[in-house]
Amino acid sequence: MQAPSAFPLVDDILASHKEALGPDHSGYRNHVTRVLQFLFAMAPELRTSEQPVLIAAAFHDLGIWTARTFDYLAPSSLLAYEYLTAHGLEPLRQEVDLIIQQHHKLRSYRGPFSPSVEAFRRADLVDVSLGIIRFGLAPQFVQSVRAALPNAHFHARLLAFTGRQFLRTPLRPLPMVRW
């Protein structure tokens, strides 16, 4: 049984992709929820217009499973675009796309929608680094979020995907990383 979510919109989106996620559904859902918890702790002002970050969060890595590729930013953006179009939310497209496309940027993001894009980039890095990188978040807070939303093998799956990508394209093992 899954823990109740503070983000029903995310759960609704992920429910429609449960088959593609398969046994990774809980791990991905918890990853997305942890990222959002970290994001809103770092940038509480984003709560006043949270819809773009919620939608981007749900889709940001989803292309790994739906397109079966570790070069997943474009497929993830396409899924988000299809969702936005189907729900009459086209005005959110640029922000959602930038959040998805820039969430693995190595340097700080400076550009349109920088408050949400940069906060999301940092929040994702907090989770992907298992809380080693915290951007000022208290270690106890990060630990409590991680305890409430178990990893469910999410990081192990990422390592497996990375290994597979390296064997396929050793000169481009992390195609989603941006400078």
Side-chain angles (χ1 to χ4, degrees):
M1 181 173 158
Q2 294 186 134
S5 175
F7 309 109
L9 175 60
V10 170
D11 286 342
D12 289 346
I13 292 169
L14 295 183
S16 67
H17 295 281
K18 194 168 187 168
E19 186 176 326
L21 286 162
D24 295 327
H25 179 266
S26 291
Y28 183 65
R29 176 196 179 269
N30 288 355
H31 164 65
V32 170
T33 305
R34 287 190 305 266
V35 167
L36 289 167
Q37 293 290 343
F38 299 145
L39 180 141
F40 291 125
M42 287 189 279
E45 68 278 6
L46 293 177
R47 279 279 193 188
T48 61
S49 58
E50 68 182 12
Q51 192 175 30
V53 293
L54 295 177
I55 294 168
F59 288 104
H60 80 283
D61 293 338
L62 199 54
I64 294 171
W65 290 271
T66 61
R68 300 183 185 275
T69 180
F70 208 49
D71 193 359
Y72 58 86
L73 296 179
S76 296
S77 284
L78 179 59
L79 288 170
Y81 172 71
E82 290 169 350
Y83 175 86
L84 293 169
T85 301
H87 292 85
L89 298 170
E90 292 91 345
L92 303 180
R93 182 178 185 195
Q94 184 183 12
E95 184 175 8
V96 169
D97 188 59
L98 284 167
I99 291 169
I100 293 169
Q101 292 296 322
Q102 301 300 320
H103 83 274
H104 286 303
K105 186 171 175 23
L106 295 177
R107 291 181 274 172
S108 296
Y109 173 80
R110 297 176 196 347
F113 303 102
S114 59
S116 59
V117 175
E118 180 61 12
F120 191 90
R121 183 190 75 82
R122 289 179 178 206
D124 187 67
L125 189 53
V126 170
D127 194 59
V128 170
S129 74
L130 300 169
I132 294 169
I133 299 169
R134 293 188 306 276
F135 296 105
L137 293 175
Q140 300 84 356
F141 172 72
V142 173
Q143 184 179 19
S144 70
V145 170
R146 293 190 46 71
L149 297 157
N151 203 31
H153 308 290
F154 180 75
H155 286 78
R157 291 292 286 153
L158 292 182
L159 285 174
F161 292 138
T162 301
R164 191 173 341 150
Q165 179 72 22
F166 179 76
L167 291 174
R168 288 181 185 160
T169 58
L171 299 178
R172 197 168 174 243
L174 299 172
M176 78 298 281
V177 173
R178 305 283 187 256
W179 288 103

